[in-house]
């Protein structure tokens, strides 16, 4: 039996800011249907790696291959159309637009038409808009926010804004969802809700790559974990393996007879 | 859905009715001219409203497109004897092309850098209009031939309906852009360019497109102004023009659908009323503008729409009672 090629493969990815190496030759893969977590102490390069994968920052070296596409050649705004969307560490909704309009914007790549062609195909544009609104309602229903569809997004509490962001990402029909610290700022109930939603999405075949600080969260949901420290990958494995990995324990807690223990 | 439709077309119906009956209510050519100028500035304001109010791109150079449209319109008629519709089209196309050429490099800049760059562009256009005397007629400008359409000479009242028709068409285009995915995408670009590109919006393309659209609105306004004034001169690209544009946008309300109409009416009519006050005119005008910015930051149009939207969407007044909370990230 041959294994199918990975959905996302990150090969020797590096990012240098002048003399500082923020990410140094990190390699790992995400297979279809997997949930992979990236962890590491503060300043380990997690967020930088994430921006490299989602295209917000250019690579200094290495390759990001997604579904057979060389992602270094794909500008950020074309990524959602080929099945890769992301959320942000600090929720980035369009605050004065309504909740449903925010979600509809996530489906922008489906109705992507310029000004002139939109004017010439007015009926089609209006029909597409209605379909998109319908689909947006479906995803709002899924995250449990259909009742707040017409409110300005900025009126929602943080935890619900996070859910809107996930609905906005899901409406484009991604194969891979990139989540940058999705549990940040959520309370216990909201975190549990988020876990349930992510599990449901994963059951439907969605692959997820996430960066997270919350250990309980990441250990509870990930199939595999990649550990970064000082910009390099120091370990990969199942949550069980990671928990017992001496290099990981050292990175988080310091050496037994070192000076950095706390 | 129905409230959105109502929101778009109720003001349109009101404006259409006012526009249609206005000539019967007004006395003499002077008042008709004032009415026409109101429509002209409403068109100009709608373009700026799309560019700045919705897409958040502050240009202080829209008067350049106003002038380029008007000069092109006059020159095409004078040198090539083009008919009115063709010269109108020519003026719009030239402005669209100039808008594209200027917009591509300039829209890499944001906020006040963009405002500065567009202002510089307009100053160059203004200098050309003033100094290239052989081509532009210098300070005295160019005369526009008496307007005629399909061989028939246009009377003053015909001209009114032509200008009003252009304003109505501009309103429809504005509503179309505002209420479809185009408007949503532009709002997203205004709010957060990074997030906008991550949901699949080609930010540069949208910024350049709306810049070109606003240039075309300015061209139509400039051409209509030239028709009403029977000529074009360098004041079209002058600083007074952009001051008028900013004033009407602030007073009418940025991002508001009806704001440009209300703002234009005030910018055109207020100086007529204040004319009797002579040197105090500017003072009162300036104080009035300040009061608007402090007490009505949404402008008249924005404030009306806001209170109306409350009653459309929320007949039971739930919205005001709703808790506005936002948990802080630890």
């Amino acid at each position: 039996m041959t294994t199918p090629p990975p959905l996302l493969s990150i090969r020797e990815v590096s990012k240098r800011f002048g003399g500082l190496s923020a990410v140094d030759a990190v390699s790992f893969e995400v297979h279809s249907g997997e949930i992979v977590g990236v962890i590491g102490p503060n300043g380990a390069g997690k967020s930088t790696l994430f921006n490299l994968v989602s295209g917000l920052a250019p690579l200094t070296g290495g390759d990001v291959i997604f579904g057979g596409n060389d992602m270094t050649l794909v500008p950020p705004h074309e990524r959602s159309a080929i099945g890769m969307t992301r959320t942000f560490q600090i929720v980035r909704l369009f605050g004065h637009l309504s909740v449903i309009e925010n979600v509809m914007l996530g489906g922008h790549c489906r109705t992507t038409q310029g000004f002139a062609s939109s004017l010439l195909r007015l009926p089609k544009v209006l029909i597409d808009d209605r379909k998109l609104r319908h689909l947006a309602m479906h995803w709002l229903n899924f995250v449990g926010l259909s009742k707040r569809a017409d409110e300005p997004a900025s009126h929602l509490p943080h935890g619900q804004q996070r859910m809107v962001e996930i609905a906005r990402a899901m409406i484009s029909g991604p194969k891979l969802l990139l989540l940058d610290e999705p549990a940040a700022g959520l309370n216990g109930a909201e975190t549990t809700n988020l876990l349930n939603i992510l599990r449901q999405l994963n059951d439907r075949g969605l692959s997820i790559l996430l960066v997270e600080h919350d250990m309980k969260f990441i250990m509870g949901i990930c199939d595999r974990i990649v550990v970064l420290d000082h910009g390099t990958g120091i370990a990969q494995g199942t949550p069980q393996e990671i928990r017992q990995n001496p290099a990981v324990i050292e990175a988080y807690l310091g050496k037994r007879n070192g000076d950095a223990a706390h | 859905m129905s409230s959105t439709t109502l929101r778009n077309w109720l003001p349109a119906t009101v404006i259409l009715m006012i526009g249609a009956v206005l000539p019967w209510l007004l006395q003499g050519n002077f008042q008709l001219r004032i009415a026409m100028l109101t429509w002209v500035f409403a068109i100009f304001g709608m373009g700026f409203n799309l560019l700045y109010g919705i897409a958040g791109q502050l240009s202080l150079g829209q008067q350049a497109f106003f002038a380029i449209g008007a000069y092109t319109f006059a020159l095409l008629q004078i040198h090539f004897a083009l008919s009115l519709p063709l010269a109108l089209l020519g003026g719009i196309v030239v402005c669209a092309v100039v808008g594209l050429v200027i917009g591509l490099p300039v829209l890499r800049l944001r906020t006040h850098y963009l405002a500065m760059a567009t202002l510089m562009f307009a100053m160059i256009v203004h200098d050309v209009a003033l100094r290239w005397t052989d081509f532009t007629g210098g300070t005295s400008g160019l005369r526009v031939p008496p307007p005629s359409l399909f061989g028939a000479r246009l009377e003053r009242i015909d001209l009114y309906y032509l200008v009003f028709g252009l304003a109505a068409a501009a309103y429809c285009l504005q509503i179309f852009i505002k209420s479809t995915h185009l408007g949503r995408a532009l709002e997203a670009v205004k709010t957060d360019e990074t997030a906008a590109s991550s949901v699949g919006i080609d930010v540069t393309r949208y910024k350049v497109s709306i810049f070109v659209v606003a240039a075309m609105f300015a061209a139509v306004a400039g051409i209509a102004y030239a028709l009403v004034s029977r000529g074009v001169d360098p004041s079209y690209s002058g600083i007074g023009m952009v001051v008028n544009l900013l004033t009407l946008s602030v007073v009418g309300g940025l991002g508001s659908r009806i704001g440009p109409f209300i703002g234009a009416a005030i910018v055109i009519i207020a100086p007529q009323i204040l004319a009797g006050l002579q040197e105090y005119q500017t003072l009162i005008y300036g104080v009035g503008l300040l009061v608007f910015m402090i007490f009505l930051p949404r402008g008249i149009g924005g404030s009306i729409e806001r209170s109306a939207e409350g009653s459309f969407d929320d007949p039971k007044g739930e919205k005001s009672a709703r808790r506005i909370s936002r948990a802080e990230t630890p």
Side-chain angles (χ1 to χ4, degrees):
Chain A
M1 187 181 139
T2 54
T3 47
L7 183 61
L8 174 75
S9 72
I10 290 169
R11 297 179 191 157
E12 302 280 310
V13 162
S14 301
K15 177 69 181 178
R16 301 181 68 82
F17 295 106
L20 177 79
S21 191
V23 174
D24 188 18
V26 173
S27 301
F28 64 91
E29 290 172 345
V30 180
H31 294 270
S32 267
E34 249 188 334
I35 301 183
V36 175
V38 178
I39 61 170
N42 280 331
K46 302 184 297 289
S47 285
T48 308
L49 177 68
F50 221 67
N51 287 339
L52 296 178
V53 175
S54 64
L56 290 187
L59 302 172
T60 323
D63 283 308
V64 177
I65 311 286
F66 173 73
N69 300 291
D70 179 357
M71 295 306 272
T72 51
L73 304 174
V74 180
H77 68 264
E78 286 174 15
R79 294 183 179 218
S80 65
I82 57 175
M84 178 198 269
T85 50
R86 70 167 290 171
T87 66
F88 293 90
Q89 184 175 345
I90 296 157
V91 180
R92 290 173 95 155
L93 294 179
F94 308 110
H96 56 289
L97 290 177
S98 69
V99 167
I100 193 160
E101 283 174 324
N102 268 279
V103 180
M104 286 168 79
L105 268 167
H108 187 83
C109 62
R110 293 186 169 203
T111 51
T112 187
Q113 289 187 29
F115 282 72
S117 56
S118 296
L119 256 182
L120 296 174
R121 287 179 236 161
L122 181 58
K124 187 178 180 304
V125 167
L126 296 179
I127 292 167
D128 283 353
D129 211 62
R130 199 166 302 164
K131 282 185 193 158
L132 194 60
R133 186 170 286 272
H134 197 73
L135 193 62
M137 212 57 194
H138 164 80
W139 283 108
L140 278 177
N141 229 342
F142 179 76
V143 299
L145 287 174
S146 51
K147 282 187 180 151
R148 309 198 75 164
D150 292 319
E151 285 180 58
S154 57
H155 287 193
L156 267 56
H158 176 77
Q160 296 187 349
Q161 292 197 18
R162 174 69 72 201
M163 291 303 167
V164 176
E165 214 185 17
I166 287 173
R168 184 176 76 185
M170 287 312 299
I171 196 175
S172 66
K175 298 190 196 89
L176 177 68
L177 182 60
L178 305 171
L179 302 170
D180 192 357
E181 301 205 16
L186 301 191
N187 63 30
E190 287 167 339
T191 307
T192 313
N193 185 24
L194 177 67
L195 272 173
N196 286 335
I197 280 175
L198 294 182
R199 284 211 185 92
Q200 282 182 54
L201 291 172
N202 184 238
D203 287 344
R204 298 179 185 189
L206 180 75
S207 311
I208 299 172
L209 175 64
L210 60 104
V211 163
E212 187 50 73
H213 262 309
D214 185 335
M215 276 298 167
K216 218 176 100 195
F217 186 89
I218 210 155
M219 292 291 175
I221 194 171
C222 291
D223 300 312
R224 271 189 318 118
I225 292 173
V226 177
V227 188
L228 291 190
D229 189 29
H230 298 299
T232 51
I234 57 167
Q236 288 189 35
T238 63
Q240 201 55 40
E241 290 163 1
I242 293 299
R243 231 176 248 143
Q244 290 156 1
N245 187 312
V248 176
I249 296 166
E250 187 188 312
Y252 269 88
L253 301 175
K255 279 185 191 158
R256 181 150 298 169
N257 42 9
D259 54 0
H262 49 254
Chain B
M1 190 62 211
S2 67
S3 76
T4 315
T5 317
L6 194 59
R7 225 177 283 163
N8 287 334
W9 299 115
L10 182 69
T13 317
V14 172
I15 290 166
L16 203 65
M17 276 171 10
I18 293 175
V21 301
L22 210 51
W24 280 286
L25 304 175
L26 299 175
Q27 289 145 8
N29 274 342
F30 177 71
Q31 289 192 352
L32 197 63
R33 181 183 149 82
I34 295 290
M36 286 194 273
L37 291 183
T38 302
W39 300 126
V40 167
F41 276 87
I43 300 171
F44 198 23
M46 280 188 271
F48 185 70
N49 206 12
L50 287 170
L51 181 63
Y52 183 52
I54 296 178
Q57 308 301 312
L58 178 55
S59 162
L60 295 180
Q62 295 310 101
Q63 69 277 24
F65 296 111
F66 191 84
I68 291 171
Y71 274 104
T72 309
F73 177 71
L75 288 167
L76 286 176
Q77 290 189 315
I78 293 165
H79 294 301
F80 301 99
L82 286 192
S83 64
L84 191 153
L86 284 179
L88 174 75
L89 198 65
I92 296 172
V93 169
V94 167
C95 269
V97 172
V98 175
L100 184 67
V101 171
I102 298 296
L104 275 172
V106 156
L107 288 164
R108 301 172 69 95
L109 306 169
R110 294 185 195 182
T111 60
H112 52 287
Y113 299 104
L114 174 62
M116 288 289 287
T118 45
L119 185 60
M120 293 305 152
F121 159 67
M123 287 168 77
I124 294 168
V125 170
H126 188 56
D127 262 17
V128 171
L130 269 177
R131 290 172 215 272
W132 194 1
T133 318
D134 297 341
F135 192 55
T136 63
T139 44
S140 51
L142 300 168
R143 287 193 63 74
V144 171
S148 65
L149 208 53
F150 312 117
R153 176 89 189 270
L154 291 184
E155 297 302 321
R156 212 64 190 151
I157 186 79
D158 303 325
L159 189 60
Y160 171 85
Y161 281 111
L162 175 65
V163 173
F164 171 60
L166 291 173
Y171 181 83
C172 293
L173 193 59
Q174 176 201 237
I175 289 303
F176 172 74
I177 292 174
K178 228 182 118 87
S179 53
T180 56
H181 65 284
L182 300 172
R184 279 196 303 275
L186 292 170
E187 291 268 7
V189 168
K190 173 171 74 179
T191 315
D192 186 339
E193 290 189 9
T194 307
S197 74
S198 86
V199 299
I201 295 164
D202 186 342
V203 172
T204 309
R205 191 174 144 200
Y206 268 84
K207 289 207 289 193
V208 172
S209 299
I210 199 63
F211 192 73
V212 169
V213 168
M216 289 160 81
F217 271 70
V220 172
I223 291 165
Y225 196 50
L227 276 169
V228 176
S229 318
R230 303 250 166 101
V232 45
D233 64 67
S235 73
Y236 279 45
S237 54
I239 202 78
M241 204 55 82
V242 71
V243 170
N244 274 339
L245 181 62
L246 293 175
T247 309
L248 89 83
S249 303
V250 169
V251 172
L254 280 167
S256 148
R257 294 170 186 80
I258 52 171
F261 290 94
I262 297 172
I266 290 175
V267 161
I268 298 298
I269 296 166
Q272 310 299 332
I273 297 169
L274 296 175
L277 300 168
Q278 286 143 14
E279 61 263 40
Y280 295 108
Q281 186 188 334
T282 326
L283 180 71
I284 292 178
Y285 204 68
V287 170
L289 196 59
L290 269 179
V291 168
F292 260 105
M293 290 203 273
I294 295 168
F295 295 106
L296 267 185
R298 291 167 179 277
I300 300 176
S303 304
I304 292 174
E305 281 172 2
R306 195 170 162 79
S307 50
E309 269 172 32
S311 54
F312 283 159
D313 293 339
D314 196 25
K316 293 170 207 147
E318 280 170 38
K319 194 167 275 172
S320 49
R322 206 172 275 142
R323 183 174 54 105
I324 298 170
S325 66
R326 192 196 159 110
E328 289 300 319
T329 323

